[in-house]
Amino acid sequence: MYAYNEFDRLAIHQRAAQYRDQLQRHLRGELAADEFRPLRLQNGWYVQRHAPMLRVAVPYGEIQSRQLRALARIARQFDQPEPEVLRAAQTAQSAIDPARPAPLLVHGVAHFTTRQNVQFNWIPLHRSADVMDLLAEVDMHGIQTSGNCIRNITSDALAGIAPDEVADPRPWAEIMRQWSTLHPEFAHLPRKFKIAITGAREDRAAIGWHDVGLRLWHHPQDGLGFRVQAGGGMGRTPIIGRVLREFLPAADILCYLEALIRTYNRWGRRDNLYKARIKILIKAEGQRFIDELEQEYQRIIEHGAAHRVSEAEVKRVQGQFFRPPEPADHSNAELKLARILQAAAQDDTEFVRWLQRNVSAHRNPQLRAVTLSFKRPGQAPGDASAAQLDAAADLAEQFSGGEARITHEQNLLLPWVSCDQLPELWREARRLGLARPHTGLLSDIIACPGGDYCALANARSLPLAEAILSRYQDLDELDDLGPIDLHISGCINSCGHHHSGHIGVLGVDKDGQEWYQITLGGSDGRYIGGPAQPGKVLGPSFAAVEVPQAIEALLHTYVEIRQAGERFVDTVRRVGAQPFRVATQAVRHITAHATLA
């Protein structure tokens, strides 16, 4: 866990004080709404469908127990809408479709996002400065979680502990965070800019889907460096990032990023919001963009390479990462673990399933990483109540040295769990409702807040997620279906990453009504989905009531035609979309007939 120094803390506290002054001037009428808007956005404050939304930065997902407790306090004390605001929101949402279930307008919760941030949906704006002060007290903020700047840098939730890791990406992510925070040249880019980094052989950071994706690897002669991809992204035009450098010396990464973002800043579209991302520029210019980037990079190198990362700087940042004491004796670790777990299991199939699904290998054989699930009926995917946040903080302190990680899948991971504590952790997590053994299975759904909260959304995500999650609770059935990534987005901005789902669901608007496209065969780049690629649209969009039945038809078809041991996404790629299209069309006709009847 990276420990902030006094310079880091001073910057955060000064930023909070600046924001308080800006807010007070706005509330006094001295700053008009249009003048205040860029100032609040720079600190993570949006105005959404019903109320302000705050996005809190959690760099590369690492979070301390004291920070979880601060988030719990914010949820409990500040994420509370005025009664008239909540009533108006409920009335407005119910009017969308009276036949649909009541909207999940829940307050007093924090929401884990796919980019390892935390969001709150109901904090009144006049209380926002108090929240920024509280965050600053625990080394947190909302800086650059919004706006056309370099956003929160994300990484693998297993960074620094994964057995397949070539090098720990966290120090490099931290160096990039320090370099990019309040960068004067890159504060007003053509569009938002997202960087992801991994040091593992398996891509668990979805680097191909980012504006810049970085993979650490060792060159036989040149040592540690990066494979650099750029121009990835979702939205209206899903594109996998293009490889710009197979190998870039690690010391030159900031020089190269400066050249890349400077080239984008110079030539990126500012006259068209939908064509402003770097993916459009690289797609349009191709080799011309790469040539100019390389020329800019050479100019930076030739003029002293001020941002070349020295070995001393890497060691300094590495030294700021503190971890709990680890068991030193690795002898017979696997045998010891087997005995512990055999004694603890005692024919308890739920515990065995939890070990298989929610417990990951660790570079230290005496340790494991454990996923706490935040997916269950009655709770939006990725939502954590104040009580759950406090409980997670307790678990992190008791079992993981006070550290947790927010995952891309909208769960929490405990990275430093001793093997002999697994039975006790499981019992405590189960008591808290956080031990559902379905990580990577169908019910481990990714979903954005959708139209219940977001002003950009065309349709609601959460009622669909609730319907599907409630339907698929049988663990035997889920295990039989195997690994399936189901991702739901409420609009084309793709915050639910529907493009990368083995099954993706996208909310669209048809004459003021909520409809949904279904895509098949997408992947975020992990081994279980093969290389990163966007899913393909199955056909015409479905009415909201048809989607759960369409999903069921897809899965029934998969079970009928799969080969022995074949995973869902592999079946889709082997046989194509046609069998699944036929199955969902049948559901569409049955639903239409039932509605008419």
Side-chain angles (χ1 to χ4, degrees), residues 214-250:
L214 303 171
R215 182 193 292 274
L216 282 159
W217 68 285
H218 279 286
H219 190 279
Q221 285 79 42
D222 298 326
L224 186 66
F226 289 94
R227 183 177 186 264
V228 182
Q229 289 178 258
M234 296 193 180
R236 295 176 184 273
T237 310
I239 297 175
I240 304 303
R242 177 172 176 171
V243 177
L244 302 186
R245 282 288 191 104
E246 282 291 347
F247 181 82
L248 178 79

Side-chain angles (χ1 to χ4, degrees), residues 135 163 286 294 302 554:
L135 289 172
E294 291 295 333
E302 291 167 5
L554 291 174

